[in-house]
Amino acid sequence: MATLTVGRALIAMRPWSFTVTLCSVALGSALAYRLDGRYDGRVLALTLLITVPVHAAGNLLNTFYDFKRGCDGHGSSDLTLVKGRLLPAHVFNIAVGCLCVSALAMALLATVSPLAPRKQLAVYTLGVLGALTYTGGPGFKYRALGDVLIVLTFGPVLVLFAYGVQAGALSAAPLALTLPPTVHVEAVLHGNNLRDMHEDSRSGIRTLALLLGRRRAEQLFVALVLLPFALVLWQALTVAPARGAALLALPLGAKLLGAVRRGALTDLPRKTAGLQFVFGMLYVASLLYV
């Protein structure tokens, strides 16, 4: 029965994925402190209140448009609408509500952040457009461009926003340091698409995983999991040993790769998001230390 409850609304938002946003915001804020000596707890709190609802809205709209386009069936990973747990109107209205909460927090941010409001709004708009166009509008997800959009949104755009509202200026300087956790962001999405290859093929969705085929898609997932570890190892060897702190997450990466070898893909996106968060927060801690 399609009854709107808080529990069902939260499940539809896929809160397990919010760790990606938390990690990117933490990274941007840490870089503002490390590079510019700027940090304000109020700004951090508002940044999270802005970005997490946008992420939730993006997830909800993904569910809404996948269902509307007939992409979800009883074999899909997202059964919120297929099973009638919520109505499409419920999902859409919750997404709009999330965006309203985010917009209100943006108005409050303008009163405490040193970054000019027009610059805040410019970067914020890029992030919102990323959430809206993944499945809505041009629907980049359906055109094998979802990977590019998600990597840009949750990597440079989100980190730059979190950095800028703390530091009071937008700069390309921090972006090179975003690469290791951003690669794992792509691993989360690619893991999801790897798991859903059969369903996506049936629904006519084009993803990078489908374009590559099963074998190459699995090889790419392995590369996406391991590359960030190689990058932080290089930093540990060339900058300071403490930069290798994120290597402590390597056992989680090994478990993921083992799951892929066994074909145990059901929880692959969720577990990859867990790896991204642990790796990312260790990485953030290492940047604050050195």
Side-chain angles (χ1 to χ4, degrees):
M1 182 179 178
T3 302
L4 178 57
T5 65
V6 173
R8 289 180 178 182
L10 287 173
I11 291 172
M13 292 178 191
R14 300 176 220 164
W16 59 266
S17 67
F18 295 165
T19 54
V20 174
T21 290
L22 296 177
C23 182
S24 294
V25 170
L27 178 57
S29 302
L31 288 172
Y33 179 77
R34 183 74 179 85
L35 300 177
D36 300 271
R38 303 292 293 271
Y39 170 77
D40 187 326
R42 298 170 302 167
V43 172
L44 175 60
L46 285 170
T47 302
L48 291 172
L49 194 56
I50 291 164
T51 56
V52 172
V54 171
H55 189 163
N59 287 345
L60 290 161
L61 292 173
N62 184 7
T63 295
F64 177 82
Y65 285 112
D66 274 358
F67 182 75
K68 284 293 186 180
R69 293 175 186 247
C71 298
D72 283 340
H74 288 281
S76 300
S77 56
D78 186 354
L79 300 175
T80 300
L81 295 178
V82 176
K83 292 288 189 180
R85 295 166 185 164
L86 293 174
L87 296 175
H90 291 153
V91 172
F92 187 83
N93 290 337
I94 298 167
V96 171
C98 288
L99 292 175
C100 289
V101 170
S102 178
L104 177 59
M106 270 295 294
L108 295 174
L109 181 67
T111 67
V112 295
S113 171
L115 184 65
R118 62 182 177 81
K119 293 183 179 180
Q120 294 179 33
L121 185 60
V123 184
Y124 173 72
T125 300
L126 288 176
V128 172
L129 286 175
L132 296 180
T133 59
Y134 180 62
T135 48
F140 291 110
K141 169 184 176 179
Y142 310 112
R143 303 171 186 269
L145 293 172
D147 297 75
V148 175
L149 182 68
I150 293 301
V151 166
L152 290 176
T153 300
F154 287 95
V157 172
L158 185 49
V159 173
L160 186 63
F161 180 76
Y163 168 84
V165 296
Q166 291 281 358
L170 298 178
S171 170
L175 296 184
L177 292 171
T178 69
L179 186 58
T182 299
V183 173
H184 275 162
V185 170
E186 166 59 9
V188 176
L189 179 61
H190 186 67
N192 180 82
N193 294 339
L194 179 62
R195 178 195 62 186
D196 293 344
M197 285 181 69
H198 176 73
E199 186 69 19
D200 288 344
S201 177
R202 182 196 63 79
S203 302
I205 297 175
R206 296 176 65 199
T207 65
L208 178 61
L210 282 172
L211 293 178
L212 292 173
R214 172 69 63 179
R215 180 169 160 274
R216 288 196 178 102
E218 289 181 354
Q219 291 173 343
L220 176 58
F221 182 80
V222 172
L224 291 171
V225 168
L226 295 180
L227 178 58
F229 290 105
L231 291 172
V232 296
L233 177 60
W234 179 80
Q235 290 186 27
L237 294 174
T238 60
V239 179
R243 286 289 184 90
L247 292 171
L248 293 173
L250 193 55
L252 293 177
K255 286 183 179 180
L256 279 179
L257 300 185
V260 170
R261 283 195 299 271
R262 297 192 305 273
L265 306 181
T266 302
D267 292 326
L268 189 63
R270 189 188 302 259
K271 290 179 179 178
T272 308
L275 168 67
Q276 196 271 343
F277 183 67
V278 173
F279 175 95
M281 295 308 291
L282 287 168
Y283 182 69
V284 168
S286 73
L287 291 177
L288 288 172
Y289 184 77
V290 181

mmCIF file of all heavy atoms in Angstrom, residues 255-286:
data_model
loop_
_atom_site.group_PDB
_atom_site.id
_atom_site.type_symbol
_atom_site.label_atom_id
_atom_site.label_comp_id
_atom_site.label_asym_id
_atom_site.label_seq_id
_atom_site.Cartn_x
_atom_site.Cartn_y
_atom_site.Cartn_z
ATOM 1 N N LYS A 255 38.283 -6.790 -0.294
ATOM 2 C CA LYS A 255 37.011 -7.500 -0.146
ATOM 3 C C LYS A 255 36.077 -7.220 -1.315
ATOM 4 O O LYS A 255 35.374 -8.108 -1.810
ATOM 5 C CB LYS A 255 36.339 -7.098 1.171
ATOM 6 C CG LYS A 255 36.992 -7.690 2.409
ATOM 7 C CD LYS A 255 36.219 -7.303 3.655
ATOM 8 C CE LYS A 255 36.856 -7.909 4.896
ATOM 9 N NZ LYS A 255 36.110 -7.544 6.138
ATOM 10 N N LEU A 256 36.061 -5.972 -1.768
ATOM 11 C CA LEU A 256 35.231 -5.612 -2.918
ATOM 12 C C LEU A 256 35.653 -6.371 -4.167
ATOM 13 O O LEU A 256 34.818 -6.899 -4.911
ATOM 14 C CB LEU A 256 35.330 -4.113 -3.186
ATOM 15 C CG LEU A 256 34.476 -3.172 -2.342
ATOM 16 C CD1 LEU A 256 34.747 -1.732 -2.763
ATOM 17 C CD2 LEU A 256 33.007 -3.481 -2.509
ATOM 18 N N LEU A 257 36.937 -6.413 -4.394
ATOM 19 C CA LEU A 257 37.435 -7.100 -5.583
ATOM 20 C C LEU A 257 37.150 -8.597 -5.507
ATOM 21 O O LEU A 257 36.836 -9.234 -6.514
ATOM 22 C CB LEU A 257 38.937 -6.852 -5.745
ATOM 23 C CG LEU A 257 39.336 -5.376 -5.913
ATOM 24 C CD1 LEU A 257 40.828 -5.261 -6.194
ATOM 25 C CD2 LEU A 257 38.530 -4.712 -7.015
ATOM 26 N N GLY A 258 37.219 -9.146 -4.307
ATOM 27 C CA GLY A 258 36.860 -10.545 -4.128
ATOM 28 C C GLY A 258 35.397 -10.794 -4.442
ATOM 29 O O GLY A 258 35.035 -11.806 -5.058
ATOM 30 N N ALA A 259 34.533 -9.858 -4.030
ATOM 31 C CA ALA A 259 33.106 -9.987 -4.313
ATOM 32 C C ALA A 259 32.834 -9.960 -5.812
ATOM 33 O O ALA A 259 32.001 -10.720 -6.320
ATOM 34 C CB ALA A 259 32.338 -8.869 -3.607
ATOM 35 N N VAL A 260 33.554 -9.100 -6.531
ATOM 36 C CA VAL A 260 33.376 -9.022 -7.983
ATOM 37 C C VAL A 260 33.826 -10.326 -8.642
ATOM 38 O O VAL A 260 33.159 -10.843 -9.550
ATOM 39 C CB VAL A 260 34.144 -7.818 -8.559
ATOM 40 C CG1 VAL A 260 34.157 -7.870 -10.080
ATOM 41 C CG2 VAL A 260 33.524 -6.522 -8.082
ATOM 42 N N ARG A 261 34.932 -10.878 -8.185
ATOM 43 C CA ARG A 261 35.412 -12.148 -8.746
ATOM 44 C C ARG A 261 34.394 -13.262 -8.527
ATOM 45 O O ARG A 261 34.225 -14.132 -9.378
ATOM 46 C CB ARG A 261 36.754 -12.542 -8.120
ATOM 47 C CG ARG A 261 37.947 -11.766 -8.656
ATOM 48 C CD ARG A 261 39.250 -12.444 -8.279
ATOM 49 N NE ARG A 261 39.411 -12.528 -6.830
ATOM 50 C CZ ARG A 261 39.980 -11.587 -6.083
ATOM 51 N NH1 ARG A 261 40.438 -10.486 -6.656
ATOM 52 N NH2 ARG A 261 40.105 -11.742 -4.778
ATOM 53 N N ARG A 262 33.706 -13.229 -7.375
ATOM 54 C CA ARG A 262 32.698 -14.259 -7.073
ATOM 55 C C ARG A 262 31.362 -13.979 -7.728
ATOM 56 O O ARG A 262 30.451 -14.812 -7.675
ATOM 57 C CB ARG A 262 32.503 -14.362 -5.551
ATOM 58 C CG ARG A 262 33.729 -14.810 -4.779
ATOM 59 C CD ARG A 262 33.351 -15.157 -3.341
ATOM 60 N NE ARG A 262 32.671 -14.057 -2.678
ATOM 61 C CZ ARG A 262 33.278 -13.060 -2.023
ATOM 62 N NH1 ARG A 262 34.611 -13.030 -1.984
ATOM 63 N NH2 ARG A 262 32.586 -12.099 -1.437
ATOM 64 N N GLY A 263 31.199 -12.793 -8.290
ATOM 65 C CA GLY A 263 29.915 -12.429 -8.882
ATOM 66 C C GLY A 263 28.886 -12.003 -7.856
ATOM 67 O O GLY A 263 27.685 -11.967 -8.151
ATOM 68 N N ALA A 264 29.346 -11.679 -6.647
ATOM 69 C CA ALA A 264 28.437 -11.240 -5.576
ATOM 70 C C ALA A 264 28.269 -9.728 -5.667
ATOM 71 O O ALA A 264 28.957 -8.972 -4.974
ATOM 72 C CB ALA A 264 29.000 -11.650 -4.209
ATOM 73 N N LEU A 265 27.347 -9.286 -6.512
ATOM 74 C CA LEU A 265 27.246 -7.867 -6.850
ATOM 75 C C LEU A 265 26.061 -7.151 -6.200
ATOM 76 O O LEU A 265 25.921 -5.936 -6.366
ATOM 77 C CB LEU A 265 27.137 -7.709 -8.374
ATOM 78 C CG LEU A 265 28.226 -8.382 -9.215
ATOM 79 C CD1 LEU A 265 27.985 -8.098 -10.688
ATOM 80 C CD2 LEU A 265 29.608 -7.934 -8.781
ATOM 81 N N THR A 266 25.222 -7.866 -5.474
ATOM 82 C CA THR A 266 23.994 -7.270 -4.961
ATOM 83 C C THR A 266 24.247 -6.007 -4.150
ATOM 84 O O THR A 266 23.584 -4.983 -4.345
ATOM 85 C CB THR A 266 23.223 -8.286 -4.096
ATOM 86 O OG1 THR A 266 22.941 -9.439 -4.885
ATOM 87 C CG2 THR A 266 21.916 -7.687 -3.598
ATOM 88 N N ASP A 267 25.192 -6.055 -3.225
ATOM 89 C CA ASP A 267 25.482 -4.906 -2.354
ATOM 90 C C ASP A 267 26.719 -4.135 -2.802
ATOM 91 O O ASP A 267 27.283 -3.366 -2.020
ATOM 92 C CB ASP A 267 25.687 -5.390 -0.907
ATOM 93 C CG ASP A 267 24.403 -5.930 -0.297
ATOM 94 O OD1 ASP A 267 23.334 -5.394 -0.642
ATOM 95 O OD2 ASP A 267 24.477 -6.869 0.500
ATOM 96 N N LEU A 268 27.140 -4.329 -4.045
ATOM 97 C CA LEU A 268 28.390 -3.710 -4.507
ATOM 98 C C LEU A 268 28.372 -2.179 -4.410
ATOM 99 O O LEU A 268 29.338 -1.596 -3.901
ATOM 100 C CB LEU A 268 28.695 -4.149 -5.934
ATOM 101 C CG LEU A 268 30.076 -3.743 -6.466
ATOM 102 C CD1 LEU A 268 31.185 -4.383 -5.650
ATOM 103 C CD2 LEU A 268 30.211 -4.146 -7.944
ATOM 104 N N PRO A 269 27.313 -1.495 -4.842
ATOM 105 C CA PRO A 269 27.339 -0.023 -4.726
ATOM 106 C C PRO A 269 27.429 0.457 -3.284
ATOM 107 O O PRO A 269 28.213 1.365 -2.967
ATOM 108 C CB PRO A 269 26.009 0.406 -5.367
ATOM 109 C CG PRO A 269 25.606 -0.732 -6.217
ATOM 110 C CD PRO A 269 26.104 -1.961 -5.528
ATOM 111 N N ARG A 270 26.652 -0.166 -2.403
ATOM 112 C CA ARG A 270 26.663 0.240 -0.996
ATOM 113 C C ARG A 270 28.028 0.004 -0.359
ATOM 114 O O ARG A 270 28.551 0.859 0.375
ATOM 115 C CB ARG A 270 25.581 -0.540 -0.229
ATOM 116 C CG ARG A 270 25.333 -0.063 1.185
ATOM 117 C CD ARG A 270 24.386 -1.027 1.898
ATOM 118 N NE ARG A 270 23.131 -1.142 1.196
ATOM 119 C CZ ARG A 270 22.003 -0.524 1.556
ATOM 120 N NH1 ARG A 270 22.003 0.251 2.621
ATOM 121 N NH2 ARG A 270 20.885 -0.700 0.875
ATOM 122 N N LYS A 271 28.616 -1.143 -0.632
ATOM 123 C CA LYS A 271 29.926 -1.458 -0.056
ATOM 124 C C LYS A 271 31.025 -0.585 -0.660
ATOM 125 O O LYS A 271 31.979 -0.214 0.037
ATOM 126 C CB LYS A 271 30.238 -2.944 -0.261
ATOM 127 C CG LYS A 271 29.362 -3.864 0.591
ATOM 128 C CD LYS A 271 29.674 -5.327 0.341
ATOM 129 C CE LYS A 271 28.808 -6.227 1.220
ATOM 130 N NZ LYS A 271 29.057 -7.664 0.966
ATOM 131 N N THR A 272 30.887 -0.238 -1.932
ATOM 132 C CA THR A 272 31.875 0.648 -2.551
ATOM 133 C C THR A 272 31.768 2.053 -1.961
ATOM 134 O O THR A 272 32.789 2.726 -1.762
ATOM 135 C CB THR A 272 31.680 0.697 -4.078
ATOM 136 O OG1 THR A 272 31.652 -0.636 -4.592
ATOM 137 C CG2 THR A 272 32.821 1.454 -4.745
ATOM 138 N N ALA A 273 30.538 2.488 -1.672
ATOM 139 C CA ALA A 273 30.358 3.784 -1.000
ATOM 140 C C ALA A 273 31.008 3.765 0.384
ATOM 141 O O ALA A 273 31.591 4.762 0.819
ATOM 142 C CB ALA A 273 28.879 4.117 -0.889
ATOM 143 N N GLY A 274 30.936 2.629 1.053
ATOM 144 C CA GLY A 274 31.598 2.504 2.346
ATOM 145 C C GLY A 274 33.109 2.627 2.219
ATOM 146 O O GLY A 274 33.765 3.297 3.020
ATOM 147 N N LEU A 275 33.664 1.983 1.193
ATOM 148 C CA LEU A 275 35.100 2.103 0.938
ATOM 149 C C LEU A 275 35.458 3.557 0.636
ATOM 150 O O LEU A 275 36.447 4.083 1.173
ATOM 151 C CB LEU A 275 35.498 1.223 -0.245
ATOM 152 C CG LEU A 275 36.907 1.475 -0.807
ATOM 153 C CD1 LEU A 275 37.970 1.079 0.204
ATOM 154 C CD2 LEU A 275 37.101 0.735 -2.127
ATOM 155 N N GLN A 276 34.663 4.204 -0.207
ATOM 156 C CA GLN A 276 34.948 5.587 -0.584
ATOM 157 C C GLN A 276 34.965 6.495 0.642
ATOM 158 O O GLN A 276 35.817 7.386 0.757
ATOM 159 C CB GLN A 276 33.901 6.079 -1.593
ATOM 160 C CG GLN A 276 34.278 7.347 -2.339
ATOM 161 C CD GLN A 276 33.863 8.623 -1.637
ATOM 162 O OE1 GLN A 276 33.024 8.599 -0.737
ATOM 163 N NE2 GLN A 276 34.421 9.745 -2.050
ATOM 164 N N PHE A 277 34.057 6.251 1.571
ATOM 165 C CA PHE A 277 33.977 7.092 2.764
ATOM 166 C C PHE A 277 35.171 6.855 3.689
ATOM 167 O O PHE A 277 35.804 7.810 4.153
ATOM 168 C CB PHE A 277 32.676 6.813 3.509
ATOM 169 C CG PHE A 277 32.482 7.681 4.715
ATOM 170 C CD1 PHE A 277 32.288 9.046 4.581
ATOM 171 C CD2 PHE A 277 32.485 7.131 5.990
ATOM 172 C CE1 PHE A 277 32.107 9.855 5.699
ATOM 173 C CE2 PHE A 277 32.311 7.929 7.105
ATOM 174 C CZ PHE A 277 32.113 9.304 6.959
ATOM 175 N N VAL A 278 35.482 5.598 3.966
ATOM 176 C CA VAL A 278 36.606 5.290 4.859
ATOM 177 C C VAL A 278 37.907 5.798 4.253
ATOM 178 O O VAL A 278 38.712 6.478 4.910
ATOM 179 C CB VAL A 278 36.688 3.778 5.142
ATOM 180 C CG1 VAL A 278 37.955 3.444 5.931
ATOM 181 C CG2 VAL A 278 35.452 3.311 5.909
ATOM 182 N N PHE A 279 38.131 5.463 2.987
ATOM 183 C CA PHE A 279 39.337 5.938 2.294
ATOM 184 C C PHE A 279 39.377 7.465 2.297
ATOM 185 O O PHE A 279 40.410 8.072 2.619
ATOM 186 C CB PHE A 279 39.339 5.412 0.857
ATOM 187 C CG PHE A 279 40.477 5.935 0.017
ATOM 188 C CD1 PHE A 279 41.644 5.209 -0.120
ATOM 189 C CD2 PHE A 279 40.377 7.159 -0.650
ATOM 190 C CE1 PHE A 279 42.700 5.686 -0.901
ATOM 191 C CE2 PHE A 279 41.421 7.647 -1.423
ATOM 192 C CZ PHE A 279 42.578 6.908 -1.545
ATOM 193 N N GLY A 280 38.250 8.079 1.935
ATOM 194 C CA GLY A 280 38.203 9.530 1.814
ATOM 195 C C GLY A 280 38.465 10.251 3.117
ATOM 196 O O GLY A 280 39.196 11.251 3.150
ATOM 197 N N MET A 281 37.898 9.764 4.213
ATOM 198 C CA MET A 281 38.083 10.438 5.497
ATOM 199 C C MET A 281 39.509 10.248 6.019
ATOM 200 O O MET A 281 40.073 11.151 6.641
ATOM 201 C CB MET A 281 37.063 9.934 6.510
ATOM 202 C CG MET A 281 35.616 10.280 6.140
ATOM 203 S SD MET A 281 35.342 12.034 5.772
ATOM 204 C CE MET A 281 35.572 12.756 7.390
ATOM 205 N N LEU A 282 40.097 9.089 5.747
ATOM 206 C CA LEU A 282 41.499 8.900 6.080
ATOM 207 C C LEU A 282 42.377 9.844 5.266
ATOM 208 O O LEU A 282 43.364 10.417 5.760
ATOM 209 C CB LEU A 282 41.918 7.447 5.844
ATOM 210 C CG LEU A 282 41.402 6.410 6.850
ATOM 211 C CD1 LEU A 282 41.651 4.995 6.317
ATOM 212 C CD2 LEU A 282 42.057 6.597 8.209
ATOM 213 N N TYR A 283 42.007 10.023 4.030
ATOM 214 C CA TYR A 283 42.719 10.928 3.144
ATOM 215 C C TYR A 283 42.603 12.372 3.648
ATOM 216 O O TYR A 283 43.585 13.123 3.688
ATOM 217 C CB TYR A 283 42.164 10.801 1.733
ATOM 218 C CG TYR A 283 42.854 11.653 0.695
ATOM 219 C CD1 TYR A 283 44.151 11.390 0.281
ATOM 220 C CD2 TYR A 283 42.179 12.725 0.108
ATOM 221 C CE1 TYR A 283 44.776 12.182 -0.678
ATOM 222 C CE2 TYR A 283 42.795 13.514 -0.849
ATOM 223 C CZ TYR A 283 44.080 13.238 -1.239
ATOM 224 O OH TYR A 283 44.696 14.019 -2.190
ATOM 225 N N VAL A 284 41.402 12.760 4.050
ATOM 226 C CA VAL A 284 41.181 14.106 4.607
ATOM 227 C C VAL A 284 42.046 14.311 5.850
ATOM 228 O O VAL A 284 42.698 15.348 6.013
ATOM 229 C CB VAL A 284 39.697 14.316 4.956
ATOM 230 C CG1 VAL A 284 39.498 15.579 5.805
ATOM 231 C CG2 VAL A 284 38.867 14.429 3.683
ATOM 232 N N ALA A 285 42.074 13.307 6.710
ATOM 233 C CA ALA A 285 42.884 13.403 7.936
ATOM 234 C C ALA A 285 44.360 13.570 7.589
ATOM 235 O O ALA A 285 45.077 14.349 8.239
ATOM 236 C CB ALA A 285 42.673 12.152 8.792
ATOM 237 N N SER A 286 44.829 12.873 6.564
ATOM 238 C CA SER A 286 46.248 12.972 6.189
ATOM 239 C C SER A 286 46.565 14.358 5.645
ATOM 240 O O SER A 286 47.663 14.880 5.872
ATOM 241 C CB SER A 286 46.599 11.905 5.145
ATOM 242 O OG SER A 286 46.059 12.198 3.874
#
